[in-house]
Amino acid sequence: MGAVEIEDVRDDLTTILYQPTQIERRVRELAAEIDRDYDGQDLLIVGVLNGAVMAVADLTRAMTIDCEMQWVAFSSYGDGTTSSGVLRILKDLNVDLTGRHVLIVEDIIDTGLTLSYLVQNLRHRGPASLEVLTVFRKPAARQGQVAVKYVGFDIEDEFVVGYGLDYAGRYRNLNGLGVLSPAVYRRS
Ligand code: 5GP
């Protein structure tokens, strides 16, 4: 498989949290849960760009039920490693949500700001159901207002890269998940 291997960027990481095989296994488990929960229903998956691209691609291909995929994008953290707290919709959905079963797929939830904004926004559009899946979840999100139905991994409060998550546009196609070394952000 032609992706960036953890060993290729080992010097940029302080810790390797998950190997690709561990993520693959967990994604398959989540896909099986979704298959069961949405069997016979009209499922619309809403991926949050850009980070959830890998998760949506892997999840939907591990699922056996049919679904539609749509994408939303928000202004991001920029090149920093902490939230600016400012959020703008850069790309909205172009389908009617009325009566649809909607599953939001996030890469990671930190403060939950992005998610609560999105959930409130989509709830007003009349979906039959609205649930959330996140691949990674940080401690702050566990006290969050928004209920998350599917969680891949609970992680510590550290800035991570890989499996769709970037730093300054890099590391998204890293196969596993690692903690970015502070030396990397000091360098840039
Ligand atoms: P929240 O709104 O929950 O604070 O942040 C969610 C968004 O911030 C994620 O979708 C992701 O884009 C970004 N983010 C939060 N934590 C991390 C992290 O540890 N690494 C990376 N690369 N992005 C993060």
Side-chain angles (χ1 to χ4, degrees), residues 17-29:
L17 293 179
Y18 297 105
Q19 293 289 344
T21 48
Q22 292 173 287
I23 298 178
E24 270 168 44
R25 196 179 317 127
R26 187 71 188 114
V27 167
R28 273 202 303 274
E29 287 171 2

Side-chain angles (χ1 to χ4, degrees), residues 56-153:
V56 170
D58 288 347
L59 200 61
T60 54
R61 287 177 299 172
M63 284 162 44
T64 57
I65 61 165
D66 189 31
C67 68
E68 185 183 343
M69 279 173 247
Q70 288 279 332
W71 301 92
V72 287
F74 295 97
S75 55
S76 74
Y77 280 15
D79 283 359
T81 56
T82 54
S83 175
S84 63
V86 181
L87 214 60
R88 279 181 306 127
I89 290 194
L90 300 179
K91 187 212 169 293
D92 204 343
L93 299 171
N94 40 21
V95 286
D96 184 2
L97 297 191
T98 314
R100 309 285 309 267
H101 292 281
V102 177
L103 176 63
I104 297 170
V105 176
E106 269 264 36
D107 46 3
I108 189 165
I109 307 174
D110 181 1
T111 62
L113 185 77
T114 314
L115 186 63
S116 56
Y117 180 83
L118 181 60
V119 165
Q120 273 174 38
N121 188 299
L122 298 192
R123 207 171 262 148
H124 285 121
R125 306 188 197 185
S129 68
L130 182 60
E131 300 289 355
V132 178
L133 179 151
T134 188
V135 185
F136 304 106
R137 180 170 67 173
K138 289 191 183 177
R142 277 173 241 156
Q143 290 119 50
Q145 317 272 302
V146 177
V148 179
K149 187 165 184 184
Y150 309 94
V151 178
F153 302 93

